Structure formats: structure tokens, C-alpha cells
Amino acid sequence: MRRKIVAGNWKMNTTPQEGVNLVKGIAELKKDICSCVELIVCPPFTHLSCVINAAKETGIAVGAQNCADHESGAYTGEVAAKMLKSIDTEYVILGHSERRQYYGETAETLNSKMALAFANGLKPIYCVGERLEQREAGQHFDVVKQQIEEVVFNLNEEQFSQLIIAYEPVWAIGTGKTATAEQAQEIHAHIRRVLANKFGVAAQDTPILYGGSCKPSNAAELFAKEDVDGGLIGGAALKAEDFIGIAKAF
Ligand code: PGA
């Protein structure tokens, strides 16, 4: 049985107070979902500390949305993996398409980030996914394969066992367009096969989350698919009812 995970990527939304209220709201509604589902919330850096505090003893885990590709030093505006760990951050999202697209993240920077995350005891949620023109050109299988090979294949077995993958087709993020459950299953199964090429049977245990306009109304259909182990949720993670509504789909 693979882990079932619903993770919220708050992106650049909410104030610290709103973030605390949101995690408290999620904690209150959590009794309505299967205890088999793990919840993770990923607020902006400024509220990690207070959200971590508010999430204590709720069973909700907290992650960051990024970390620096250097250990420490003269990197104005960056936040190191070690700093995140020092305030008990558990997860870190790496390789989100918005980071790749707007902040020029490459396989090289992502390899450094991944290594530093693991070295500091953070568990990465590594994102892959194709852009619209790549899907239309039938390149989506190759795109995600490459994004996995160039970063995930550099992990050792112990690191790999802690990894979560998120498949997020760029054309579905924040657009209201969702991949069909069949499209999601097809590419999640492909991702698992690619992972198995390198890590063998261990790939059977890797949680692969779907992201891209996932909401309470479509989550059940997506999560019913064999290789869809949960979601990485953007817009719908900003309301406790919607986030829990998605988790209820399990
Ligand atoms: P969305 O974002 O749910 O708003 O489409 C998903 C994500 O980018 O993680």
C-alpha cells in the first residue's frame, strides 16, 4: 500500500495570520477525512515558523516551497535548507514549473538543491510536467523522463525512498483545465516505469501526486487511478473546506 498524500502549495498567497487561520481550519476539519491520508501545507517562507507552530500536534506536516542551491553565504534573498530544517520544516517543493519558468531553475540548480535538502534532513517533493506545446507535439513522455533522469537518478536508494514526485502539467496549473483521469494515470504509470528503470521495485512505493487545477469535484476520479497517489494543490489549497474536500476523495 502506497502513502496517500494531499499537499497544499500556497504559492505567494496569504499573510502569516491568514496562514495560521488556514492551517487551524484544516486541522478542525481533518476529522472528516480518512486517517490514511497525509496532509502537508507549504506556506511562504515568512510564515513557516508560525504555521509550523500552529500545526503542532495536528498531524499536518509543513513544507517550504523552495530552498537555496548553496549552503550559506553571500546569496542575497535566498533561504538555505539548513535554516528551514532549524525551524522544523519537514518537506520542500523543488522544481515547480513556476520556478523553472520564471526563475530559470535548471537541472544543475535542482541537483544542488536536492542534495542540500537531503543533507539537511528535508524531504523533497520534486515536480515534473510538460508545457502545452510539448503535450501537443506528443513530447510529454520524453519531457518528464528527462526531468526525472537528470535529477532523481542522481539520488541514492536511501534518498529515493524519501522522495515524493508531483506530476504537474503546466497547461493545467491555475488554468481550470485538468488532465483527465486517464491522461493522469497514463503519465503517472510512465513516471513509475522510468523510476523503476533505475530504482527497481522501490519505485512501487514512491508517492506520485497529481497537480493542476485539482479540486473537490475532480479529485475522486483522479485519485481512483492506480498510480495517482494524491495531489499537489494550488488554488484549492487556500480554503480549508476545499483542501479537505479534496482529501475526502480518498
Ligand atoms: P493549481 O496549482 O492547483 O492552482 O492548478 C497547482 C500547483 O501549481 O501546485
Side-chain angles (χ1 to χ4, degrees):
M1 270 286 278
R2 274 194 294 273
R3 296 163 65 193
K4 297 174 169 57
I5 300 169
V6 177
N9 174 9
W10 296 0
K11 307 193 180 182
M12 200 171 69
N13 293 297
T14 70
T15 62
Q17 191 54 57
E18 288 165 352
V20 166
N21 293 344
L22 179 52
V23 80
K24 284 184 179 165
I26 294 168
E28 252 167 57
L29 298 173
K30 196 171 170 277
K31 57 180 186 326
D32 300 338
I33 65 170
C34 174
S35 59
C36 60
V37 183
E38 296 175 45
L39 297 180
I40 305 172
V41 295
C42 302
F45 289 135
T46 42
H47 359 333
L48 272 172
S49 226
C50 51
V51 169
I52 287 169
N53 226 2
K56 266 191 192 129
E57 277 151 43
T58 64
I60 300 168
V62 182
Q65 297 171 19
N66 183 27
C67 71
D69 57 344
H70 293 278
E71 213 170 310
S72 67
Y75 300 101
T76 303
E78 290 296 293
V79 177
K82 189 175 183 179
M83 299 171 187
L84 296 173
K85 187 61 187 180
S86 75
I87 58 165
D88 296 331
T89 307
E90 198 174 336
Y91 292 91
V92 61
I93 298 173
L94 291 179
H96 191 280
S97 61
E98 286 152 17
R99 301 283 327 163
R100 293 181 192 259
Q101 193 178 341
Y102 308 141
Y103 302 96
E105 289 196 352
T106 60
E108 194 187 343
T109 42
L110 288 169
N111 275 310
S112 304
K113 289 177 184 213
M114 199 72 129
L116 284 163
F118 278 115
N120 287 284
L122 297 172
K123 294 176 242 174
I125 301 171
Y126 179 67
C127 305
V128 299
E130 80 286 355
R131 297 192 306 271
L132 181 61
E133 68 275 16
Q134 293 170 324
R135 162 120 347 216
E136 284 172 345
Q139 296 164 346
H140 44 296
F141 293 113
D142 289 339
V143 170
V144 299
K145 182 169 185 268
Q146 184 181 341
Q147 289 169 332
I148 287 171
E149 286 178 348
E150 65 195 9
V151 176
V152 178
F153 277 22
N154 297 326
L155 302 180
N156 63 36
E157 282 173 18
E158 164 61 24
Q159 291 168 331
F160 178 68
S161 71
Q162 307 218 35
L163 185 73
I164 298 171
I165 301 267
Y167 166 68
E168 301 205 304
V170 180
W171 47 272
I173 296 178
T175 58
K177 269 193 212 165
T178 317
T180 64
E182 289 68 33
Q183 284 173 323
Q185 169 56 27
E186 176 184 51
I187 200 148
H188 281 226
H190 166 73
I191 290 169
R192 201 177 301 288
R193 276 193 300 273
V194 172
L195 295 172
N197 287 342
K198 166 85 178 174
F199 296 101
V201 286
Q204 287 307 320
D205 295 330
T206 307
I208 306 178
L209 314 184
Y210 170 79
S213 300
C214 184
K215 40 189 183 266
S217 58
N218 59 27
E221 206 185 334
L222 287 158
F223 296 175
K225 293 294 179 189
E226 193 185 332
D227 289 287
V228 181
D229 306 309
L232 179 56
I233 319 300
L238 296 171
K239 275 200 188 136
E241 295 75 17
D242 289 348
F243 189 62
I244 289 292
I246 291 170
K248 268 188 199 162
F250 276 119

